[in-house]
Amino acid sequence: MRLTRLFVTVLHVGRLRPASGTWGSLAALPMAWGLHAAGGPALLALAAALVYAAGLRAVALETAGDPDPDRSEIVIDEVVGQWIALMPVSIGAAMTGSAVLALWPGIVVAFFGFRFFDIYKWWPANIFDRRKDATGVMADDVFAGLWAAAAVAALAALAHLVLLPG
């Protein structure tokens, strides 16, 4: 077993069925919690950037010669995208001095928002999704994560400004 395969499948989480992408996103949640607990949003952002870069290389190695490299068992892209979606929660917890799990509504929105945007591929994720290379595999989830992070931030602002004033 190659280490790159273990990495891109997130220790074989990507082999779980059905909905391997959802399993990959779920696996990202406790990892994000641990990263936040160890170093706050800065460590979570750094980890997302490093795993993205490593994912590019590992996906390229694992899928060399494949006509469609975006195999369902590859879920390292979901991990990166989910971590990006969780950034507003991590930042909010750090800014308020709250435990990140106390912001559980944001975690729920980040999870389901990321799954939505990962499935429906809003611009520019749809552009990257059409690429048949490692950048396409990884980058479409980055943009899904950014859309989900925007949704988390917008809904948090709505909740704090309208639903929970004062």
Side-chain angles (χ1 to χ4, degrees):
M1 176 60 54
R2 291 172 32 165
L3 288 178
T4 54
R5 178 144 321 134
L6 286 173
F7 181 71
V8 301
T9 64
V10 186
L11 301 175
H12 298 298
V13 167
R15 295 177 184 260
L16 295 173
R17 299 290 180 260
S20 58
T22 299
W23 289 108
S25 296
L26 281 170
L29 297 177
M31 290 187 276
W33 173 80
L35 289 164
H36 174 84
L43 184 58
L44 182 59
L46 177 63
L50 291 174
V51 171
Y52 176 82
L56 283 174
R57 180 71 176 140
V59 169
L61 289 170
E62 275 302 309
T63 62
D66 287 357
D68 184 9
D70 202 359
R71 300 190 310 245
S72 63
E73 70 185 24
I74 296 173
V75 294
I76 196 63
D77 51 333
E78 271 79 17
V79 170
V80 172
Q82 189 64 72
W83 288 353
I84 292 168
L86 289 163
M87 281 303 301
V89 177
S90 182
I91 292 167
M95 288 177 62
T96 62
S98 301
V100 75
L101 296 179
L103 281 72
W104 65 266
I107 295 169
V108 171
V109 171
F111 176 78
F112 286 107
F114 174 70
R115 293 311 304 140
F116 174 84
F117 291 113
D118 187 29
I119 291 165
Y120 291 103
K121 309 285 186 211
W122 283 21
W123 180 89
N126 59 353
I127 295 167
F128 286 97
D129 188 52
R130 290 191 289 270
R131 291 180 59 142
K132 300 301 180 197
D133 61 5
T135 299
V137 171
M138 297 296 295
D140 75 308
D141 289 77
V142 167
F143 287 102
L146 289 169
W147 278 112
V152 170
L155 288 173
L158 179 66
H160 290 284
L161 296 175
V162 175
L163 302 176
L164 304 169

